[in-house]
Amino acid sequence: MRTSSVLAFATAVSTTIAQVYQGFNYGSVFTNNAPITQQDYENQFNTAKQLQGTSGFTSARLFTTIQAGTTNSPSEAIPAAIATNTQLLLGIFLSSTDDAFNNELAALRSAISQYGQAFVDLVIGISAGSEDLYRISPIGIENMSNPGEGPDAVVRRINAVRSTISGTAMSGKPVGHVDTWTAYVNSSNSAVIDACDFIGTDAYPYFQNTQANSIENGASLFFEAYNATVAVSGGKPVWITETGWPVSGPTENQAVPSLANAQTYWDQVGCRVFGQVTTFWYTLQDAFPNTPSPSFGVVGSTLSTTPLYDLSCPDDSSSSSSTATSPASSASVPSQEPGTSSEPTGPEISTTPSGPSSTAPEPGTSSEPTGPEVPTTPSGPSTTAPSLSPSIPNTVPTVETVMIYTTVTTCPVTYTSGTETMTSMTTSAAVVTSTHGNTLATVTTAPTHPSPSSPAGSCPADLSGDFEFPHLIVPVDQSHPDTAANTGFNGHFSPTISTIFNFDFPYSFEGRTCSLVFLFPQRESLQTSNYTLSGTGGIDVTRLLAPADESTTYNNQPALNTTVGSIPGLQAGNSYTIGSGDCFAGTRIGYKVSATGSLDLDYFQDYNPAPIGLYITVC
């Protein structure tokens, strides 16, 4: 007998009519990269509507508006949707070049012009991007996902989409963004929520392989993720844009792909949200002509209205109707302003399915039409979400005030030591002026005697709160001065090799304190990282006049701006605060780390589960 639970709607529910949609995700190519044509889309859309055991699957989510194999021609899913009366959540791919993004906008303009009102009437919204914030986060970088975007870039793209449809028949359609729940609960990404008319969230308990993610816990993991997104949504509608359980593929920790488990997940998650929350399931078919691993399709390699497992929902679960209304169903829908929503807040859904509860999930979702990406999810409590990486144009501030300290934390005592600066060892403040005449830093060195706590104004020398992961790591080698090592994931400090780290500081950090910290745990504490260490010595950290890029070499590296601080004797098992002060909000900063003495340290930068490397902590 199948189980069901009650939807507990959030207390502040709008008294407006809200259309609720449900459908599947649709890519632009088959698994052999052959483009999906209009007839293919029509076949898929009609199959979805006629799936045995279901009703109401009359909508489709697209990842791109461009037809595969063309530069900027509109997707053939659009005329297919018109022919089959299928509602569309359009997708605009963001994380690429400006030219690629502009091609997306060109395809959208062409589609409005070519298909007119028949197209516009079927559009329920436009998603500007898909998991861009996740893919630039540490775990996205670790899993070598496609290029991502930071919050400021995503907001600019959202506004560009809104500007593109302004003055057209599409004007006023909701514009939002799709990402993982951890991207939304991260306060440094709040500007994206502010810019959205709706929020699309993706969640795959199957990929949460550092947690108890058996099918018994699948529903509780999903609903914890959904409710966490609702909690930070600011009253905007939260749509479920991707979720599902694979029918085949590798086991991820306790998560076993199978037809039986896929049906259980459908029963415990799908049947509880269909007709209640706009939902796009992953996926109708992903196994033609080849079967990916893992495979999530509810139909196999042959497109058929007979699914691989029973999709009927029990009578006491949510209906598979395509509409739902809030209590005051006679109210009219007010007009929408950009960045606002006339829909009611998404429901806060009970986290009491038939299986036991578990901790809230970390990122582990899919992105592009080729199938879900497979991250190695971090462990640890979900109450403190990592600060994901923004991608911000480089700007140069006129004034920066930085209190420079070096703090060595050796449990259980924290003590402070003096640092080397561009001026001299002193306990008084010194003003350092650049060659451009701008005041760059007020440098203060701390006293050399032990202190019971960190210097005043510094953030914790750990990742317990918001933090920034470096977005570019580039070693430069004096013995190969013209060789560009490109970006990587390793920091390397030796007598001949230094490493430059780029950090992006979002505008939302204005008025907050940032600390540059170096975390160096014992090797036995590491699970997903490692390091080699020889010689003795420490590190010097300098801030550069400009950030590095993939072409940076020893000979063309940016010039020194100012010394940040030093760690005289680097030892494993310690956390070091190198500098603290006002965050450089809205800038990209390059920091160069060089070895002193005979130290030779080569490590893989990672924050899970024992952080190692250079970070910015925020408080």
Side-chain angles (χ1 to χ4, degrees):
M1 179 177 180
R2 301 182 200 173
T3 60
S4 63
S5 298
V6 177
L7 293 173
F9 280 80
T11 54
V13 177
S14 170
T15 57
T16 60
I17 297 175
Q19 183 84 15
V20 177
Y21 303 90
Q22 67 192 48
F24 293 98
N25 288 267
Y26 295 87
S28 59
V29 295
F30 291 112
T31 55
N32 62 353
N33 288 322
I36 299 177
T37 67
Q38 178 178 341
Q39 187 60 58
D40 295 324
Y41 281 118
E42 288 187 24
N43 294 341
Q44 292 176 350
F45 294 164
N46 284 327
T47 298
K49 292 181 179 182
Q50 300 168 27
L51 275 176
Q52 293 179 14
T54 72
S55 65
F57 280 86
T58 58
S59 302
R61 178 194 171 214
L62 307 179
F63 291 91
T64 176
T65 306
I66 299 175
Q67 175 61 21
T70 73
T71 300
N72 55 21
S73 297
S75 169
E76 292 183 17
I78 295 172
I82 295 172
T84 59
N85 193 31
T86 299
Q87 294 94 358
L88 293 175
L89 173 56
L90 298 179
I92 301 292
F93 188 68
L94 298 190
S95 297
S96 189
T97 63
D98 287 341
D99 287 344
F101 175 67
N102 289 333
N103 284 334
E104 289 277 357
L105 299 183
L108 177 59
R109 285 190 293 266
S110 296
I112 296 170
S113 174
Q114 182 175 350
Y115 299 109
Q117 199 65 41
F119 165 46
V120 172
D121 289 344
L122 293 173
V123 175
I124 67 173
I126 305 173
S127 171
S130 178
E131 298 190 359
D132 304 88
L133 301 172
Y134 157 73
R135 283 183 276 119
I136 202 172
S137 71
I139 194 169
I141 294 171
E142 179 181 337
N143 287 284
M144 295 178 288
S145 305
N146 292 324
E149 295 278 11
D152 297 296
V154 171
V155 169
R156 287 196 300 272
R157 305 288 205 195
I158 290 172
N159 291 334
V161 172
R162 197 172 276 123
S163 296
T164 297
I165 64 175
S166 178
T168 73
M170 195 74 76
S171 180
K173 291 289 185 179
V175 179
H177 177 69
V178 170
D179 227 298
T180 60
W181 77 274
T182 48
Y184 293 122
V185 301
N186 184 337
S187 62
S188 66
N189 294 322
S190 61
V192 174
I193 295 176
D194 295 340
C196 286
D197 299 320
F198 69 89
I199 296 164
T201 188
D202 297 350
Y204 290 90
Y206 164 75
F207 287 121
Q208 292 165 218
N209 56 15
T210 62
Q211 296 175 292
N213 66 335
S214 67
I215 189 59
E216 288 78 14
N217 292 335
S220 62
L221 287 173
F222 171 81
F223 287 118
E224 285 169 1
Y226 179 82
N227 287 336
T229 307
V230 170
V232 298
S233 66
K236 297 183 179 182
V238 178
W239 295 352
I240 301 165
T241 39
E242 286 183 47
T243 195
W245 194 278
V247 298
S248 64
T251 296
E252 290 286 341
N253 191 26
Q254 300 172 0
V256 179
S258 70
L259 293 175
N261 287 346
Q263 179 173 329
T264 297
Y265 192 76
W266 177 278
D267 290 348
Q268 295 183 355
V269 175
C271 290
R272 292 168 62 196
V273 299
F274 297 147
Q276 305 295 319
V277 185
T278 292
T279 302
F280 295 92
W281 202 260
Y282 196 89
T283 187
L284 176 67
Q285 183 189 44
D286 63 358
F288 177 81
N290 308 308
T291 302
S293 181
S295 175
F296 286 75
V298 301
V299 301
S301 58
T302 300
L303 193 64
S304 171
T305 58
T306 302
L308 295 174
Y309 51 90
D310 187 0
L311 302 182
S312 60
C313 290
D315 292 339
D316 58 345
S317 71
S318 300
S319 167
S320 290
S321 169
S322 61
T323 61
T325 61
S326 64
S329 59
S330 62
S332 60
V333 179
S335 60
Q336 273 183 246
E337 295 296 328
T340 65
S341 170
S342 62
E343 284 198 39
T345 305
E348 181 169 336
I349 304 176
S350 168
T351 58
T352 56
S354 59
S357 165
S358 68
T359 57
E362 296 292 339
T365 63
S366 76
S367 173
E368 298 312 309
T370 52
E373 297 175 18
V374 186
T376 304
T377 56
S379 60
S382 64
T383 53
T384 303
S387 178
L388 304 187
S389 309
S391 177
I392 302 171
N394 178 40
T395 59
V396 179
T398 56
V399 179
E400 303 166 351
T401 302
V402 185
M403 304 301 292
I404 305 298
Y405 302 93
T406 297
T407 303
V408 182
T409 304
T410 306
C411 295
V413 178
T414 301
Y415 64 92
T416 304
S417 65
T419 66
E420 297 177 2
T421 68
M422 287 184 66
T423 53
S424 62
M425 295 295 292
T426 175
T427 57
S428 61
V431 177
V432 181
T433 305
S434 74
T435 55
H436 301 290
N438 296 326
T439 300
L440 292 174
T442 300
V443 181
T444 303
T445 57
T448 58
H449 58 272
S451 169
S453 61
S454 299
S458 65
C459 299
D462 57 43
L463 305 187
S464 59
D466 287 346
F467 68 92
E468 286 296 316
F469 194 94
H471 311 150
L472 191 76
I473 302 177
V474 178
V476 291
D477 189 348
Q478 185 176 1
S479 61
H480 299 87
D482 295 312
T483 299
N486 211 315
T487 186
F489 302 103
N490 278 47
H492 193 180
F493 322 134
S494 77
T496 61
I497 299 174
S498 300
T499 300
I500 300 174
F501 300 81
N502 283 359
F503 287 92
D504 291 332
F505 296 76
Y507 290 103
S508 60
F509 283 5
E510 183 72 34
R512 300 182 68 184
T513 297
C514 287
S515 293
L516 184 67
V517 302
F518 189 79
L519 310 180
F520 192 31
Q522 297 285 357
R523 186 180 284 107
E524 54 266 27
S525 301
L526 300 172
Q527 295 183 23
T528 57
S529 182
N530 203 354
Y531 62 82
T532 59
L533 175 65
S534 63
T536 58
I539 58 174
D540 287 337
V541 183
T542 57
R543 181 156 50 86
L544 304 178
L545 284 173
D549 58 34
E550 292 87 345
S551 64
T552 296
T553 67
Y554 180 84
N555 276 343
N556 68 14
Q557 62 183 302
L560 168 70
N561 186 326
T562 186
T563 298
V564 177
S566 300
I567 302 172
L570 189 67
Q571 295 183 354
N574 295 318
S575 300
Y576 302 88
T577 298
I578 301 167
S580 293
D582 293 342
C583 296
F584 302 136
T587 64
R588 174 174 294 154
I589 302 292
Y591 293 96
K592 180 181 176 181
V593 182
S594 303
T596 62
S598 60
L599 179 81
D600 190 334
L601 172 63
D602 188 2
Y603 70 92
F604 179 79
Q605 174 105 8
D606 191 19
Y607 76 95
N608 169 47
I612 180 172
L614 196 69
Y615 298 88
I616 298 288
T617 59
V618 188
C619 58

